[in-house]
Each structure stands twice: as C-alpha cells, then as structure tokens.
Amino acid sequence: MPVTEKDLAEDAPWKKIQQNTFTRWCNEHLKCVNKRIGNLQTDLSDGLRLIALLEVLSQKRMYRKYHQRPTFRQMQLENVSVALEFLDRENIKLVSIDSKAIVDGNLKLILGLVWTLILHYSISMPVWEDEGDDDAKKQTPKQRLLGWIQNKIPYLPITNFNQNWQDGKALGALVDSCAPGLCPDWESWDPRKPVDNAREAMQQADDWLGVPQVITPEEIIHPDVDEHSVMTYLSQFPKAKLKPGAPLKPKLNPKKARAYGRGKQQSCWI
C-alpha cells in the first residue's frame, strides 16, 4: 500500500493516537463539571458535552438556551448550532464544520473542531511566563509553543513535534528545566529505552507539575505520532507549577558544566 494511502486509512496509527489524545484533553477539562467523553465520534452528537466543554474552556455561559434533554435529532442539531454560534461570537473560526457533521459523527471534522479549541484555549490565548502580548500575536501557535520550548531547553536541537521527542530524553530535559532536580539525570537515559524514558518524565510531570498525560508514553514515542497530539500534550507545560514536597534531586555531577548552542553561549549544569 502506498504511504499516502496508508496514512489516509481509517485505522492509521496517527489517527488513533490523535483521537485518544484529543479525547483525554477534553476529559481533563470536563471532569470539573462531572462529565466525560467515551467516544469522541459519537458523544458530542447531542451537543450537551460540547456545550459543557465550551463553557469550561471559556468560563462563559452559552448566549442562548438549549435543550437539556435532546431526545430528537432536531433538538440535537439545535444544541450543536448553539455551540457553533457561541464559537462564532467568540471569533473562533471553523472551516467546513456544521451541526450536521457533529450530530452525524464525522470524525475528521470533529477532530478538526477539537484541534481548533486546543489551538485557541491551550496555545494561543494564555500569556505565558516571560512572554509579552506582542510576542504571542506575531507568531503562529506552533511557532509560539516551539519557541517557548526552545527557550526552556536551548541545549537540545528541538525543531519539531514528532521525531525530536521519540527517545524520551527531551521530555526529561523539559521536565527538569521546569523543575530543576525532578529529572536530573535525563542526559544519561538510554535512548534505546524510549518508553521507559518517556514514562519517567511524564509521570514526574503528572505527579509534581500538574501536567496530565493526555498522551501515553507509548504513543508519544510512536514513529507515526502526529504533531498535533504532541503539541496538545506539550502545551500544558507553560502553565505547569511545581507542587510542594516534590522529590528534587541534585544533578549527577554538579561540578561539571558544558556550553551548548551557536553564537550566544548557553550553559547547563549536568
């Protein structure tokens, strides 16, 4: 099967990973209102969980009433229309997505809708530490997140959201940069054990930085992982805060320093 045809297949690994990741991202936000999505393709069809998700993300109420018990298709269509109208009034632009696509379970368009929400509410909208409003406005969401990560770990050549993360070591470096001493020996991790590396970094980030594992270690190191899934996970780090009592450890050899980078020199203790 040609690569292009394989990539477009319904069971393509990247599609499964993206659906899993986007579902977990939605559920992280929905849990504060005691709602949950089991199947992203079908569970938004009555509009209720989509409306709940938008209200949590925006911290606003819908602009007009909707059906609390949408038993008929027309009620479902009206509920989804309320949600899409809300996005329009919030100046969040959707392409080729209408209420029928959501009610009928068009997975491709539903994934596109969720990605639009991730871009707006997780990457574009918040002003991160050490970042001015002007910086955020000049860049695409992808450039913005990549730039933030490059500033956090300038001693690693991070240029993308797939291959650069597949041995797990960059995750350890990012976690340790956000909380020095949380993954102090990431440099000595064996690149031949990517799942172990990713699991260690992601568990520490989950436990002590409040970064939920919306993607699994096995998924993030998968050779076919898509950049949207990796960006969804990494977009949580700029807001991460270290919890009290974290098991911070010293570096393996605190007396040794190295310089990295071109031009302006950067130092990192190892």
Side-chain angles (χ1 to χ4, degrees):
M1 184 185 285
V3 174
T4 51
E5 194 176 331
K6 190 177 177 182
D7 288 343
L8 292 171
E10 287 301 319
D11 60 348
W14 74 266
K15 287 188 179 180
K16 296 290 186 184
I17 293 171
Q18 187 177 101
Q19 185 175 350
N20 292 342
T21 302
F22 286 9
T23 302
R24 296 185 198 108
W25 181 85
C26 290
N27 285 334
E28 277 300 318
H29 294 282
L30 283 172
K31 66 184 181 183
C32 66
V33 289
N34 296 315
K35 293 186 184 294
R36 189 176 185 281
I37 293 170
N39 185 331
L40 194 62
Q41 186 168 8
T42 59
D43 288 357
L44 300 182
S45 63
D46 65 5
L48 293 179
R49 273 166 281 205
L50 178 57
I51 286 170
L53 178 63
L54 295 180
E55 290 187 337
V56 169
L57 292 170
S58 67
Q59 295 296 294
K60 297 177 183 178
R61 294 290 180 189
M62 290 293 108
Y63 293 118
R64 60 187 177 94
K65 292 183 179 180
Y66 55 90
H67 302 285
Q68 301 287 343
R69 293 183 176 83
T71 51
F72 301 108
R73 176 179 170 81
Q74 188 57 37
M75 292 178 175
Q76 296 173 346
L77 289 167
E78 289 172 7
N79 277 4
V80 175
S81 292
V82 169
L84 297 182
E85 180 186 304
F86 176 86
L87 290 173
D88 186 58
R89 292 182 64 170
E90 291 290 297
N91 293 313
I92 300 173
K93 302 304 177 188
L94 301 174
V95 179
S96 303
I97 300 175
D98 57 16
S99 54
K100 185 175 181 294
I102 308 300
V103 174
D104 290 343
N106 185 319
L107 183 58
K108 180 181 178 181
L109 294 181
I110 290 169
L111 290 171
L113 168 62
V114 177
W115 176 240
T116 299
L117 298 180
I118 293 167
L119 282 177
H120 183 79
Y121 289 107
S122 282
I123 305 177
S124 300
M125 200 170 71
V127 177
W128 299 331
E129 191 177 342
D130 301 326
E131 180 187 53
D133 281 315
D134 290 340
D135 294 333
K137 288 174 183 173
K138 290 175 187 172
Q139 299 175 313
T140 66
K142 181 179 177 180
Q143 289 170 334
R144 186 180 182 219
L145 182 58
L146 188 62
W148 184 87
I149 290 169
Q150 288 169 336
N151 285 334
K152 294 298 285 186
I153 47 176
Y155 33 84
L156 289 182
I158 303 298
T159 60
N160 59 61
F161 289 106
N162 35 48
Q163 291 99 335
N164 287 164
W165 304 89
Q166 287 176 1
D167 66 3
K169 295 181 71 170
L171 287 170
L174 182 60
V175 170
D176 199 64
S177 176
C178 292
L182 205 53
C183 287
D185 52 353
W186 64 267
E187 261 195 297
S188 67
W189 288 356
D190 189 345
R192 295 168 298 181
K193 297 180 179 179
V195 176
D196 292 345
N197 298 341
R199 184 178 291 117
E200 170 68 14
M202 294 170 75
Q203 193 60 56
Q204 294 285 36
D206 196 347
D207 291 344
W208 300 107
L209 290 172
V211 177
Q213 296 183 46
V214 298
I215 191 170
T216 67
E218 291 80 6
E219 289 170 339
I220 203 168
I221 63 94
H222 196 287
D224 294 328
V225 70
D226 69 294
E227 64 177 19
H228 290 179
S229 297
V230 179
M231 286 174 67
T232 299
Y233 174 66
L234 295 176
S235 70
Q236 302 174 114
F237 277 89
K239 303 181 286 291
K241 301 291 182 187
L242 184 64
K243 298 177 183 178
L248 304 179
K249 297 174 286 188
K251 299 284 185 184
L252 288 176
N253 188 352
K255 294 181 180 179
K256 188 177 177 185
R258 286 183 190 166
Y260 298 84
R262 291 175 296 180
K264 192 165 84 173
Q265 291 216 324
Q266 304 271 1
S267 293
C268 174
W269 291 100
I270 60 170

